Amino acid sequence: MISKYTKNIAALLAISLFCLIGCETPSSPTSETASSSAKDERVVELLKKMSVEDKVGQMTQITLSMLMKDNQLNIEELKNAIINKKVGSILNVNGVPLSLEEWHDLLTTIQDIATKETELQIPILYGIDAIHGTTYTKGSTLFPHNIGMGATRNPALVKASAKITAAETRASGIRWNFDPALGIARQPLWARYEEMYGEATVLSSVLGFEAIRGYEEDGLDQISAVASCMKHYLGYSVPLSGKDRTPAYIPDTQLREIFLPPFEAATLAGSSTVMINSGEINGIPVHGSKYYLTDILRGELGFEGLAVSDWEDIIRLHSRHRIAATPKEAVKIAVNAGVDMSMVPVDYSFFDLLVELVNDGEVPMSRIDEAVYRIVKLKFDLGLFENAYPEEEAIALFGKDAYKEVALNAALESITLLKNDDKTLPLKEGGKVLLMGPAANSKGALHGSWSYTWQGSDENQFPESTITIKQALENRIGAANVISNSTNDFEDPSNTDIAFLKQNAAKARVIILAIGEKSYAESPGGIHDLNLNDNQIMLAKAAYSTGKPVVLLLAQGRPRVISKIVDGADAIVNLYRPASQGAEATMQILYGDVNPSGVLPFSYPRYSGDVVLYDRKHTEEVTEFIPDSYGGGGYNPQWKFGHGLSYTTFTFGEIQLDKKSYTKSDEIKVTVEVSNTGDRAGKVAVDLFVSDLYASVTPSYKKLKKFTKISLEAGESKNVSFTLTADDLSFINAASEKTVEAGEFSVSVGDKKSNFELK
């Protein structure tokens, strides 16, 4: 059964692109329910003219590198792809970002062939991974990765960054963006953790909804919009082993309660496309499952757009998952299950095999027509048939100064102060600073995956305007006051040279260690252990031994375990992957220009083998290390979900409910007074949790249902109100049905809690 979200954020859809700070936004996605529309006659007429080969070609997507030779576009191979193999879609770059001019030249060449040298003149649909900004275009604006955006608790910032990404991607000439990622970050070993909004389902639902609206709401035929792609449907983010594209085992109750809702919200938001999970759930590859791709995605969620596989996934039904005895059978399974377009992407096997399957009657023409209708319809919607070429007028939307301000605000609101003993931060001006650590002079570590290159690790590809923490610190206090031997090679041993630290510690007033992870994307970012690398642990311990105040900056895409060095640090700041304005934002936080307001979008584990989530079951609250001793403390992270300190203090008043007893048709009004009891202005995230005290399926300890962020001057108080409905009290029962049961519930905000009854 599809969730019915209450229509309580209509005003949010009208938020200006530059509503960047202090925006108070409700936290439940809404939209008009997607409804079937009459067939587009333009598409219907075109389908009548298409041969089997024409149609299968439209379902075929290949990568650009397949069309390159000696780093130059191979025109003959391009013509073979488009004219002979009828290829309908191309993606990616050939390893390095392109300038706007290079993109325009490339896409013009491609569209010239498609629209002038083929009989049907169907334009090419070009797709790209603009994951946290326009990834593969020189000089584009990059924003914090989603895990940092989850820390902002600010939907308006997510929407604003998506609108900029849409504008800059469209200025490049590209109209299809493979974003947003809507998995739930509940497996911290996983290398794509940084691309998720957090471990709470509502974060992905609300923030993903806003990203899609940002990409698409101007209208797909407009120069400020791109087609979004909700991904990776479904259950991709929790591989049991922690390794990318490996099996997940998810009970149906969890699948529907935790992992499906963001895709419900994305469908309601109007996402044009969906990318399918490369992995498998309970032994069933998602890209080969009619149950997941047709029964649930189409039947239950009502999604009508284009479904594309991920990289090389269809052939892997044969070569890796081994549910197909031959490559041909793999194509048959995937297409019949509901995949519309195959990201093949390095050969024409899909085209050849699918033509055979159609001619042999093993894939019905009705399934082909259904898929091709969706593909061609999207091309019409994007205005490609009217003008297939890069739109010159879109160039004016690229690289505006205002975009940097959005990126800066996003970084500022994401950065999370985890520890601050004796008010070590903000730092005072004056004196020398000893700066060390592998992330101190690394652009890649601040950006992470999909940053001008796939891995985000090629320091030469970043714009000259991109600075490191070292450069930002030198800009702030003067190069003469920064003692550092850090290089831009994350693996350089000099970055963790303890001898250098000891030789120079006496000269410094404070030691800043920028530690964490190098940049990585997908499988190359796989790890076997959550613990931070030993060389960085040893560097921190050596710094503590000097007696100087030590500030740790964590540049990382996932929570690396640092329990061995937490106690010795005077202050700890989680930067996540703050991107293009991250270094400047870090300085503004460290020196108190801006009050930190980020809060953890995940539970930060204390031990590598003890990952318990915020919405744990009550039995996970129990520790029984001594038989028959039922102590608490089962949820024992280093820092709890939602933790984040400020340079001021906030208090929460008692929770006010409009009633103490409700029926399932009632709205539940929740109000809490939030006060700034400190001596400076600040922003505070307000999370509302719901607990079902007793249920027929073991209830979670609590679940995040609503959130917002407000600004308060010193001494100021504001009332924050939320509205809950029966849907917020629902769960998936043992029959995999959404249900609401009468009984006692509680709501909690901050350190306050209030109970009510549902009749």
Side-chain angles (χ1 to χ4, degrees), residues 561-583:
V561 171
I562 57 170
S563 54
K564 294 178 181 178
I565 57 174
V566 167
D567 290 344
D570 296 278
I572 303 176
V573 184
N574 197 3
L575 307 181
Y576 310 96
R577 302 290 202 191
S580 59
Q581 298 299 312

Side-chain angles (χ1 to χ4, degrees), residues 51-62:
S51 66
V52 171
E53 289 78 10
D54 291 325
K55 294 175 180 179
V56 171
Q58 288 299 306
M59 298 171 67
T60 303
Q61 185 182 62
I62 59 174

Side-chain angles (χ1 to χ4, degrees), residues 328-350:
K328 186 174 181 179
E329 185 182 0
V331 172
K332 175 183 175 180
I333 290 171
V335 173
N336 283 337
V339 174
D340 299 320
M341 180 183 288
S342 173
M343 191 184 290
V344 187
V346 294
D347 58 38
Y348 300 111
S349 58
F350 174 84

Side-chain angles (χ1 to χ4, degrees), residues 672-689:
V672 61
E673 184 180 65
V674 185
S675 301
N676 182 344
T677 54
D679 58 4
R680 63 175 292 173
K683 298 175 186 174
V684 58
V686 184
D687 288 348
L688 181 146
F689 300 91

